[in-house]
Amino acid sequence: MIPRLLEPLAAALPAAGFMPQRASSVAGNVDRVFGFIFWVSLAALVLILVLTVVFVLRYRVRSGRTAPEPSPSHHNRLELLWSAIPLALVMIIFGVSTAAWLDMIEPATGPDPLRVQVTGRRWSWWFDHPGGRGAPELHLVAGRPAVLTLASTDVVHSLYLPDFRLKQDAVPGRFTRMAFTPVLAGNFPVLCAEYCGTDHSRMLATAVVHPDQASFDAWARAGAGEALSLSDLGKKVLAAKGCLACHSLDGTPRVGPTFKGLWGREEKFADGTSAKVDENYLRESVVKPGAKVVAGFANLMPPVPLEEREMQGVVAYLQTLGTAP
């Protein structure tokens, strides 16, 4: 109910040209929060200014006034009122902002989202798309859910898409995620919103939202084979580092668990705990293999030094081997 009541407040600012157009599924919720805070702040400012003018005129120094006018030292109703109103406003802001945040971290991505690997580096972005096409631009499809997995090769960067109302940090040594659905076709700016050094302000890119899947597929085919795809790089890394000597690709357990169907599986560990296999679990398993030893297997794996892009390639390749049933 409250989000619907806030819609006129949220729509007024973009309609007046004060905010970018809404290009993603989460933009409306963000605008509701921003619009509500903006108009409440504006109303409070106007109220304070009006009362200031009234008080200045009402209680200004006059020739016939030799002492301040008497005033009450305590007023229970007034004090309760000026405490209750801000509390109610803060709770409304908390409610609508929490709903918007939950929609961002747990969106309805659907059964077949477009998965893109995003790499931040000083000072540019690189996007690896399904089908092996890498590009300095982010390519998406209008109406198709997208999941972006972010990583950084050096310092903290922050992928910022103003028209999508989305921002997510790319952090060295871990993976972060951004999920949404583009709703408008066109070209939209991509920026870095975290100061990352000398050319931070020039770390720009473009998000190209294709009107349909056919357009995206045509673009992907046009650049296929230009460079080694991320998943192919991952397969090459696994072979070069000797990983396939201990981990099979066909479901057969060896010294270590099979890679087939590994992605998304709930792994049980020797200490009785469990975790879902995702990007950060795989990173930890490569860097600190003894941190979580899968039940039924010995702690024999040594740490494997990988460059950031090699790690991303391994993650991309393991996703191609199927997911847990």
Side-chain angles (χ1 to χ4, degrees), residues 104-125:
M104 289 180 179
I105 64 171
E106 293 293 341
T109 55
D112 185 29
L114 183 68
R115 298 187 180 275
V116 181
Q117 178 72 51
V118 183
T119 304
R121 58 203 179 185
R122 290 183 293 187
W123 286 273
S124 64
W125 296 104

Side-chain angles (χ1 to χ4, degrees), residues 92-222:
I92 293 174
I93 293 172
F94 173 78
V96 296
S97 59
T98 300
W101 177 71
L102 291 174
D103 188 47
M104 289 180 179
I105 64 171
E106 293 293 341
T109 55
D112 185 29
L114 183 68
R115 298 187 180 275
V116 181
Q117 178 72 51
V118 183
T119 304
R121 58 203 179 185
R122 290 183 293 187
W123 286 273
S124 64
W125 296 104
W126 185 259
F127 305 93
D128 288 288
H129 304 82
R133 181 77 189 269
E137 311 90 22
L138 172 62
H139 287 258
L140 304 168
V141 180
R144 182 180 178 183
V147 177
L148 277 54
T149 303
L150 290 76
S152 171
T153 62
D154 36 52
V155 299
V156 176
H157 301 282
S158 189
L159 186 73
Y160 178 39
L161 299 97
D163 296 85
F164 294 75
R165 310 294 195 274
L166 287 167
K167 183 170 72 71
Q168 180 61 269
D169 287 349
V171 184
R174 62 169 294 184
F175 290 102
T176 54
R177 185 175 297 176
M178 178 189 291
F180 59 94
T181 300
V183 296
L184 294 177
N187 296 343
F188 306 94
V190 177
L191 307 99
C192 178
E194 183 75 28
Y195 180 69
C196 53
T198 306
D199 286 337
H200 158 71
S201 62
R202 300 176 64 182
M203 192 169 169
L204 308 173
T206 302
V208 181
V209 181
H210 295 263
D212 50 43
Q213 187 64 41
S215 174
F216 177 87
D217 292 340
W219 169 81
R221 286 194 301 270

Side-chain angles (χ1 to χ4, degrees), residues 10-304:
L13 295 175
F18 291 113
M19 295 179 67
Q21 57 187 327
R22 298 177 183 176
S24 79
S25 56
V26 302
N29 287 339
V30 176
D31 284 356
R32 291 186 189 98
V33 178
F34 182 87
F36 183 69
I37 295 175
F38 175 84
W39 291 113
V40 168
S41 301
L42 181 62
L45 174 64
V46 171
L47 177 62
I48 292 171
L49 292 176
V50 169
L51 291 177
T52 299
V53 172
V54 170
F55 292 158
V56 167
L57 295 177
R58 175 67 178 80
Y59 299 107
R60 71 186 186 279
V61 176
R62 300 176 186 176
S63 57
R65 178 179 295 162
T66 59
E69 294 185 11
S71 61
S73 61
H74 189 67
H75 196 295
N76 287 336
R77 291 183 178 178
L78 183 60
E79 291 176 5
L80 288 173
L81 184 65
W82 73 40
S83 298
I85 291 177
L87 177 62
L89 293 175
V90 168
M91 293 307 296
I92 293 174
I93 293 172
F94 173 78
V96 296
S97 59
T98 300
W101 177 71
L102 291 174
D103 188 47
M104 289 180 179
I105 64 171
E106 293 293 341
T109 55
D112 185 29
L114 183 68
R115 298 187 180 275
V116 181
Q117 178 72 51
V118 183
T119 304
R121 58 203 179 185
R122 290 183 293 187
W123 286 273
S124 64
W125 296 104
W126 185 259
F127 305 93
D128 288 288
H129 304 82
R133 181 77 189 269
E137 311 90 22
L138 172 62
H139 287 258
L140 304 168
V141 180
R144 182 180 178 183
V147 177
L148 277 54
T149 303
L150 290 76
S152 171
T153 62
D154 36 52
V155 299
V156 176
H157 301 282
S158 189
L159 186 73
Y160 178 39
L161 299 97
D163 296 85
F164 294 75
R165 310 294 195 274
L166 287 167
K167 183 170 72 71
Q168 180 61 269
D169 287 349
V171 184
R174 62 169 294 184
F175 290 102
T176 54
R177 185 175 297 176
M178 178 189 291
F180 59 94
T181 300
V183 296
L184 294 177
N187 296 343
F188 306 94
V190 177
L191 307 99
C192 178
E194 183 75 28
Y195 180 69
C196 53
T198 306
D199 286 337
H200 158 71
S201 62
R202 300 176 64 182
M203 192 169 169
L204 308 173
T206 302
V208 181
V209 181
H210 295 263
D212 50 43
Q213 187 64 41
S215 174
F216 177 87
D217 292 340
W219 169 81
R221 286 194 301 270
E226 290 182 353
L228 193 66
S229 72
L230 201 59
S231 61
D232 288 341
L233 173 63
K235 183 178 181 179
K236 182 178 179 181
V237 168
L238 291 178
K241 298 294 183 179
C243 304
L244 300 182
C246 298
H247 302 273
S248 73
L249 302 178
D250 60 2
T252 305
R254 294 180 182 169
V255 177
T258 180
F259 286 149
K260 183 177 181 181
L262 178 66
W263 183 260
R265 190 164 67 202
E266 191 75 18
E267 288 282 37
K268 299 182 186 297
F269 306 122
D271 61 1
T273 62
S274 63
K276 184 178 180 180
V277 176
D278 59 10
E279 297 92 346
N280 288 310
Y281 168 79
L282 291 172
R283 180 189 291 278
E284 183 184 42
S285 298
V286 170
V287 178
K288 298 179 180 179
K292 294 182 175 70
V293 180
V294 177
F297 295 92
N299 182 16
L300 300 176
M301 178 176 168
V304 181

